Amino acid sequence: MNPARLARGMFALTLLVLWAGQAAAQAPRNLAAVEKDLALLNNAMRDQEGAVALVEKQYSTAPNLFGSNSFEQRLGEGQIFFALGESSKDIKNYERAAILLFDIVEGGHFKDRPGYDDAVFTLAESLFALRYRYGARNYYRLLAERSTSRYNEAAIVRLIELAGLLENYEGLDEVYARYEVIAGGNIRPSVRYARGKLLLRRGRLDDAELELARVPAGDTYHVRSVYLRAVVLMKKGLLEEAVARFAEVAAAPDAAPEDAEVKELSHMARGRLYYEMGQLAESADAYQEIDHTSKHFPEMLYEVAWTFVKRGQGFKEQPEKADAEYQKALQALDLLLIANTNRRLESDVRILRGNLLLRLGKHDEAEQAFQSVVGDYGPTLKTLEQQMATRGNTEAILDALLRSDARTVTVDSVLDPLAQQWAQDDEGVAEALTIYRDLDTTKAQVDETRELADKLLKVLDNPNSVDIFPALQEGRARSLSVENNLLAWEGRVADLEARIIGSIADAPPGRNYRAARETRKALEQKLVSMPRTSEDMQTRQARIRSRIQEVERTLFRQQLDIDNVRAQIAAIDAVVREKKQKGQLNPQEEEYWRSELRAVDGALQQMLAIEKELREALREERQNLTVAGGAGSQESLIREQYMDALQREAETARSLRQAVDPAFASMFPKIDENRQRAAQLRTRLAAFNKSIKRQVDAQAAEMRGIVMLERTRVMEYEQQVGAYEGEAGEMAAVLTHNALKGVRDRFYDVVLRADVGLIDLAWQQKQEKTDSVSTLVRKQKSELKALDDEFADVLRDIE
């Protein structure tokens, strides 16, 4: 041993003993109070042992993500979201239900679970509501194959309905035959109605009549079945029998909410059939049954106007009666122009109205009517012809139709508003847009799925991946709160030891102890803010949720402001575009409005930037809502630093113990015992946390495998979508071009009929003038002849 070092140690010890002798009188003399606090610490450590044991017992084995609890929980949540979708018709709820249920339906673990068929049916219904018809059909077929009594009927009805919607009847008869065997001939009326409707659509009229006739009176599908049976008779050409059956529908009591509209359709059908049979009074009476609140009211007015026209044409020898009928038709058309919103029907109405005015001899009004049609539709026809003649313009037109939402209208939109509306109502364009939008939706869903998979993989690789698993997250949270509380009590142990050491720590040899204690006390200020109980953890999460709600409210208000600005842009743009197309906008005014739109758009971009910042803040707050204190977190670092400070304080305190009053020195073994018990509890908590980590890793590995498999499928889907995209785009462009040709032809027909009306008007005016001149000539000749006859004798005498 180094003699110099030994000498220095002995000198320090001598100084410490001398200092202790002087400080002994200043040491705490309330031995009973110290013993009481030490007993309190002993009890607290026993409580901590109980808390650790409880955590170990409750959370040592958490349920697997793919266990029974998870299946039942996800099924319940999926059914709740589906019910919310049914009540609110919000597709987001259907999407959430489908996402939750897809994994448990596709997972091979669950096919024998009692609730598996419930999951399949709810998933199929969610997809059906989302219009993912092929996917829905697959799951309805799965239910039909499983022959579950609870869902047999519903699955068959949906498969029949989907066969009609998809116009794909493959395997449907076999499915229905299997259902007949399972049902033992006791087929529900709803199924008979659905199949009868499909047979009618397929042209199997006799089979449809047979199936629909089996729906009993009083059933909720009876009225609709009778209506379809009337349609069968009409298709067979048995018009009088069809009229009688439609009348039966109109007179039947309502058995379902849908029956009210079915009766309106029956009145419309009776009106049309009577018209075809020449029974015009009965036709008009049938049409009059349609109420003005009905959505069929405009169509009824147009058809009843033609009924009056045809009745007027029957009074060839009675012009007064004919004019009275034409006047009734004119009144119906005037009312229709007020109530109608269909621009296609409006063109026919205006031309018919012009012809009626012409027949009634109201030439000025007729000319105005025809000229207004030519003025409204002629420029649009010319513009459309020019656009269609431009090479490569079909794609731009298709894009304009796809972007026809009010928020995305631009001053330079390709199509005239009237042509755009007609095009969107065209079946060909609707089909093209459906193809294009379905493809676009598929691409978006594939992208979202890939992004979701990447996010899940990132979360699974995160040190705090325990937050994915609720049961394990709860166990980890309890462990953290117990550990925080245990450290706080270890601090109380250190404080009690400091009271025993007292002023001895002020001696020069106590310099290291004082430094360690000050470090520990500084860290303790941070430790006290950390949750020590489950209630503390819940309070902190509630506080974070409150901040999240505030950010969400601010974000919602920001989104409303953004929508308002977009609506203003769309409104300004629509007015400017309309004026521009009508030639009412000079270049200076157009440039002014463009600058205004650019300014508003600049403000919109700033608002979008703020929205992005709010979303980022919301994301950060939601991350804080997870279990704080996990590996790598700030709280974990504070705990580690605090434990190091406690250890250094304990080590430096041991060098001062020999100078303490012997009456108090006897308590040091009990203090060390408490420290040892705390260390053991921390060791147990560390083992518990490792157990949680192993479970997290195991479940995360299983989930990672599923996500990677789905990601591989997504990559395959991306390739398929890419292969279909070009073909679908070409098909949509062809359909759009053909449909626009149809729209152009309709515009041409409208303008042509209006021009013909003007020609008829001019001819009639010319004919009336010719007839007037002829009448005057005949009258002049007659008068001359009368004069000749009157003066014949005089003329003879003169001769």
Side-chain angles (χ1 to χ4, degrees):
M1 180 176 293
N2 189 325
R5 181 179 299 175
L6 178 61
R8 285 195 298 272
M10 292 298 293
F11 180 71
L13 179 60
T14 302
L15 287 176
L16 179 61
V17 170
L18 291 174
W19 182 267
Q22 295 175 3
Q26 303 173 16
R29 291 303 177 186
N30 194 344
L31 182 60
V34 175
E35 289 178 340
K36 181 180 179 181
D37 289 343
L38 184 58
L40 179 63
L41 286 174
N42 290 333
N43 293 333
M45 285 301 170
R46 279 197 296 271
D47 292 339
Q48 294 306 302
E49 287 172 345
V52 172
L54 184 61
V55 168
E56 291 172 332
K57 182 178 180 180
Q58 288 183 332
Y59 301 101
S60 58
T61 305
N64 189 278
L65 180 67
F66 303 96
S68 59
N69 290 346
S70 174
F71 172 83
E72 294 166 359
Q73 180 180 355
R74 298 185 75 179
L75 172 59
E77 290 176 355
Q79 289 176 326
I80 289 172
F81 279 122
F82 176 76
L84 289 173
E86 289 289 274
S87 60
S88 66
K89 300 304 177 185
D90 184 355
I91 62 171
K92 291 295 184 183
N93 288 318
Y94 291 123
E95 289 174 350
R96 294 185 184 104
I99 291 170
L100 282 167
L101 296 169
F102 178 79
D103 285 340
I104 62 176
V105 168
E106 288 297 318
H109 322 66
F110 309 125
K111 291 187 177 180
D112 297 326
R113 293 285 178 85
Y116 181 74
D117 290 326
D118 298 331
V120 175
F121 178 74
T122 308
L123 174 59
E125 288 286 283
S126 298
L127 294 174
F128 184 83
L130 291 167
R131 298 181 182 272
Y132 298 149
R133 290 167 179 164
Y134 286 100
R137 184 178 65 174
N138 291 337
Y139 293 112
Y140 288 126
R141 282 178 174 174
L142 176 60
L143 280 174
E145 290 170 0
R146 288 174 66 87
S147 300
T148 307
S149 58
R150 183 177 179 182
Y151 295 115
N152 263 336
E153 177 188 346
I156 293 295
V157 170
R158 284 299 197 203
L159 284 172
I160 292 172
E161 186 174 357
L162 285 168
L165 291 171
L166 299 172
E167 295 186 0
N168 185 340
Y169 311 108
E170 181 182 356
L172 184 62
D173 290 336
E174 291 77 5
V175 171
Y176 188 76
R178 186 166 66 250
Y179 170 70
E180 284 184 310
V181 173
I182 295 171
N186 186 24
I187 299 174
R188 294 180 180 271
S190 58
V191 179
R192 292 201 181 277
Y193 168 77
R195 185 164 186 263
K197 183 178 179 180
L198 190 60
L199 290 170
L200 173 61
R201 185 168 184 171
R202 296 171 69 180
R204 294 166 56 178
L205 302 182
D206 292 335
D207 292 339
E209 165 65 24
L210 184 63
E211 197 71 51
L212 292 166
R214 293 177 179 175
V215 177
D219 185 81
T220 54
Y221 287 91
H222 176 68
V223 175
R224 282 171 278 178
S225 297
V226 176
Y227 176 84
L228 293 182
R229 291 173 65 196
V231 174
V232 169
L233 292 172
M234 186 175 66
K235 286 183 174 291
K236 288 182 175 182
L238 305 174
L239 302 188
E240 292 184 359
E241 292 86 340
V243 167
R245 191 156 288 170
F246 280 127
E248 181 183 344
V249 173
D254 289 351
E258 296 82 359
D259 291 347
E261 184 175 358
V262 172
K263 290 183 177 182
E264 290 181 348
L265 293 173
S266 296
H267 294 313
M268 293 289 290
R270 287 170 56 232
R272 291 163 183 164
L273 289 174
Y274 279 130
Y275 183 89
E276 290 294 326
M277 293 186 295
Q279 301 178 28
L280 303 181
E282 291 82 355
S283 175
D285 290 341
Y287 281 126
Q288 296 301 322
E289 297 292 336
I290 304 297
D291 189 78
H292 71 281
T293 59
S294 170
K295 67 179 183 180
H296 302 290
F297 185 69
E299 188 178 6
M300 179 276 292
L301 285 174
Y302 182 66
E303 293 183 14
V304 81
W306 271 110
T307 301
F308 290 133
V309 170
K310 192 168 184 179
R311 287 175 61 177
Q313 291 172 342
F315 296 110
K316 294 182 180 180
E317 305 300 329
Q318 299 172 287
E320 296 82 4
K321 290 186 177 181
D323 288 350
E325 296 298 330
Y326 295 149
Q327 192 64 46
K328 292 178 184 177
L330 191 61
Q331 291 173 354
L333 294 177
D334 288 338
L335 181 59
L336 174 56
L337 287 175
I338 297 173
N340 182 55
T341 57
N342 187 332
R343 298 299 295 271
R344 284 173 171 265
L345 182 59
E346 180 184 336
S347 63
D348 293 332
V349 170
R350 290 168 67 182
I351 291 174
L352 177 58
R353 183 175 179 274
N355 284 315
L356 285 172
L357 290 169
L358 181 60
R359 291 198 179 197
L360 290 169
K362 300 179 179 181
H363 294 164
D364 291 341
E365 294 182 49
E367 182 179 7
Q368 184 180 358
F370 288 130
Q371 288 288 6
S372 67
V373 172
V374 174
D376 288 345
Y377 291 87
T380 300
L381 172 63
K382 184 177 180 180
T383 303
L384 184 58
E385 287 177 336
Q386 292 173 347
Q387 289 171 336
M388 293 183 65
T390 303
R391 183 181 298 275
N393 206 32
T394 302
E395 289 76 10
I397 293 173
L398 176 61
D399 183 63
L401 293 172
L402 288 169
R403 295 186 297 104
S404 61
D405 186 283
R407 294 180 303 174
T408 56
V409 175
T410 63
V411 173
D412 299 318
S413 292
V414 178
L415 281 180
D416 177 276
L418 184 59
Q420 182 166 305
Q421 185 174 4
W422 276 47
Q424 287 174 318
D425 292 338
D426 186 273
E427 292 183 1
V429 173
E431 184 178 357
L433 295 182
T434 298
I435 294 172
Y436 213 89
R437 283 173 177 149
D438 285 349
L439 182 65
D440 196 51
T441 300
T442 302
K443 288 173 61 180
Q445 290 174 343
V446 168
D447 291 341
E448 289 175 3
T449 305
R450 186 186 62 253
E451 291 175 5
L452 178 60
D454 292 340
K455 288 179 181 178
L456 283 173
L457 290 174
K458 187 178 294 185
V459 171
L460 289 171
D461 293 334
N462 191 287
N464 284 333
S465 56
V466 65
D467 295 322
I468 305 173
F469 312 100
L472 297 174
Q473 180 193 43
E474 184 179 347
R476 176 60 174 150
R478 289 290 300 277
S479 170
L480 289 173
S481 61
V482 170
E483 187 174 0
N484 291 339
N485 203 30
L486 180 60
L487 287 173
W489 279 108
E490 285 190 80
R492 297 282 293 276
V493 171
D495 288 339
L496 183 60
E497 185 175 33
R499 286 173 57 194
I500 295 174
I501 292 174
S503 59
I504 295 174
D506 296 331
R511 181 176 61 255
N512 292 337
Y513 171 73
R514 292 196 304 274
R517 187 163 183 266
E518 288 172 0
T519 301
R520 194 259 304 176
K521 280 293 187 180
L523 289 169
E524 198 167 70
Q525 298 301 317
K526 299 179 180 179
L527 186 69
V528 295
S529 64
M530 295 162 60
R532 301 185 191 179
T533 64
S534 299
E535 291 75 15
D536 292 342
M537 187 71 75
Q538 292 172 2
T539 300
R540 180 171 65 180
Q541 290 183 337
R543 187 170 60 252
I544 296 173
R545 287 193 183 96
S546 177
R547 291 201 299 267
I548 288 175
Q549 290 174 357
E550 181 58 33
V551 175
E552 285 178 337
R553 284 193 293 268
T554 305
L555 180 60
F556 177 73
R557 289 192 293 268
Q558 184 72 9
Q559 289 170 334
L560 286 179
D561 292 340
I562 289 172
D563 288 341
N564 287 333
V565 172
R566 281 174 168 162
Q568 291 173 15
I569 292 175
I572 294 171
D573 188 77
V575 172
V576 173
R577 185 159 60 97
E578 184 177 357
K579 287 185 176 181
K580 179 181 176 182
Q581 290 169 347
K582 289 182 178 180
Q584 301 173 353
L585 192 68
N586 60 49
Q588 293 78 15
E589 290 176 328
E590 181 178 346
E591 181 56 34
Y592 168 77
W593 285 112
R594 285 182 183 278
S595 63
E596 286 295 310
L597 286 174
R598 284 193 293 268
V600 177
D601 185 67
L604 176 62
Q605 297 307 317
Q606 293 179 359
M607 296 173 72
L608 290 172
I610 296 174
E611 180 189 31
K612 184 178 180 181
E613 293 176 2
L614 287 171
R615 289 188 183 280
E616 182 63 24
L618 187 61
R619 185 187 64 80
E620 292 178 359
E621 289 292 351
R622 282 175 174 160
Q623 285 181 343
N624 291 333
L625 191 59
T626 61
V627 173
S633 70
Q634 184 67 25
E635 290 190 5
S636 176
L637 182 61
I638 293 172
R639 274 192 294 271
E640 292 173 2
Q641 293 174 344
Y642 190 77
M643 284 188 288
D644 290 341
L646 281 172
Q647 185 176 358
R648 287 196 302 273
E649 184 176 355
E651 290 173 353
T652 53
R654 288 191 182 94
S655 63
L656 304 178
R657 286 182 176 181
Q658 53 190 324
V660 174
D661 187 337
F664 292 93
S666 61
M667 297 182 184
F668 288 133
K670 295 180 180 179
I671 289 175
D672 290 339
E673 180 183 350
N674 276 291
R675 283 195 171 116
Q676 186 176 3
R677 289 167 68 184
Q680 291 173 351
L681 291 177
R682 279 192 274 106
T683 300
R684 287 168 61 182
L685 285 174
F688 172 80
N689 291 333
K690 288 181 179 179
S691 172
I692 292 287
K693 183 68 167 58
R694 284 194 298 272
Q695 294 182 67
V696 168
D697 291 342
Q699 297 194 30
E702 187 171 1
M703 181 181 286
R704 187 180 290 105
I706 294 173
V707 173
M708 290 299 296
L709 177 61
E710 291 302 321
R711 201 177 187 284
T712 303
R713 292 176 179 173
V714 168
M715 293 174 65
E716 295 175 356
Y717 295 153
E718 282 183 314
Q719 294 176 354
Q720 293 176 4
V721 170
Y724 293 144
E725 186 173 8
E727 181 180 350
E730 291 177 5
M731 183 183 300
V734 170
L735 287 171
T736 302
H737 182 74
N738 292 338
L740 288 173
K741 286 175 61 179
V743 173
R744 180 199 60 192
D745 293 343
R746 283 293 306 276
F747 274 10
Y748 179 80
D749 179 64
V750 169
V751 175
L752 178 62
R753 284 189 291 156
D755 285 336
V756 169
L758 289 171
I759 294 171
D760 287 344
L761 173 61
W763 178 262
Q764 185 168 326
Q765 288 174 327
K766 173 186 174 298
Q767 190 64 40
E768 288 179 356
K769 289 180 180 180
T770 301
D771 291 344
S772 177
V773 171
S774 299
T775 301
L776 289 173
V777 170
R778 285 195 301 272
K779 184 177 180 181
Q780 183 183 21
K781 288 181 178 179
S782 176
E783 291 176 351
L784 288 172
K785 186 176 183 301
L787 287 172
D788 288 341
D789 292 342
E790 184 177 351
F791 293 101
D793 295 338
V794 175
L795 290 174
R796 278 197 297 270
D797 291 342
I798 293 173
E799 292 176 355

